[in-house]
Amino acid sequence: KGQNADGSFFENYNPMTGEWSGEKHHLYMGNYAVPALVAYHELTQDKEVLSALEKAVHYLVGANKDTVPTVINALAYLYLRTGKIEYVQDAENSLKYLFSQQQVSSDPLWDGMIYKKLIYHRPNSYLFSVPWVFAALEENFEKQGL
C-alpha cells in the first residue's frame, strides 16, 4: 500500500497513522525495501509482491544507474522468476559498471576496491548477490545455446 505510482517508496512509515513520509532514498530502497520484497516473494510466491518488486526495481534502475548494483540480486531474481531478458541484461550491465569502478593499486587494501573508502559491510551485499547473478547469467547462456 505504501508504494508510489512510480514504483518508489518513501523512507518513513507511521503505523499509528498509516501514512508514509520522507524522501525517496535510493540506497534505502535498494538495500532494505527491495531485499525484503525478494525474501517475502520467495516465501509466499505472492503475485502482488512480485509486481511491487518489479515496479521498485524499474524505478531504481531508471532513476540512477549508480544504484543498480544495490539491486543486482533483485534483477537476477526477477529474471529467474519471469524470464524477462531485460533483467539479466541490466544485471550484466551492473556487473560491467562495478568492474569499471575497480581500482588498481599497489596497496593490497585498495587493489580491486570499487568504493572510494574502505568499508567492510558493503562486501556482504555482493557476496549475497553474486550467486543469484551467476545463476541468472548461466540460465540465460543456456537459453542462447552458449
Side-chain angles (χ1 to χ4, degrees):
K1 292 181 182 181
Q3 190 169 35
N4 297 309
D6 64 1
S8 67
F9 289 91
F10 290 121
E11 63 184 330
N12 301 316
Y13 175 70
N14 183 335
M16 300 296 285
T17 64
E19 295 178 1
W20 290 81
S21 64
E23 298 180 28
K24 300 176 183 180
H25 286 285
H26 298 161
L27 290 177
Y28 169 80
M29 284 182 267
N31 288 320
Y32 298 103
V34 166
L37 290 169
V38 169
Y40 192 75
H41 182 263
E42 193 173 19
L43 288 171
T44 66
Q45 300 299 303
D46 186 309
K47 291 178 184 174
E48 289 183 30
V49 174
L50 185 64
S51 176
L53 175 62
E54 285 191 274
K55 290 175 190 172
V57 168
H58 279 284
Y59 171 80
L60 289 168
V61 170
N64 184 349
K65 290 296 180 190
D66 292 348
T67 61
V68 173
T70 65
V71 296
I72 193 169
N73 60 318
L75 288 165
Y77 181 82
L78 286 169
Y79 172 73
L80 292 169
R81 294 296 180 249
T82 68
K84 294 179 184 174
I85 193 72
E86 69 192 66
Y87 294 127
V88 77
Q89 289 170 339
D90 284 339
E92 193 169 7
N93 289 336
S94 184
L95 286 175
K96 289 176 184 175
Y97 171 79
L98 287 174
F99 293 147
S100 75
Q101 299 301 303
Q102 282 189 307
Q103 299 178 35
V104 176
S105 173
S106 59
D107 181 342
L109 289 175
W110 285 101
D111 193 36
M113 286 294 293
I114 57 174
Y115 295 107
K116 292 182 175 36
K117 61 183 176 179
L118 294 174
I119 190 163
Y120 294 101
H121 75 277
R122 289 184 177 160
N124 295 332
S125 300
Y126 298 105
L127 291 173
F128 169 77
S129 301
V130 168
W132 286 106
V133 176
F134 285 166
L137 291 171
E138 182 179 21
E139 183 174 305
N140 185 47
F141 290 152
E142 288 173 1
K143 282 183 179 180
Q144 294 180 30
L146 300 175

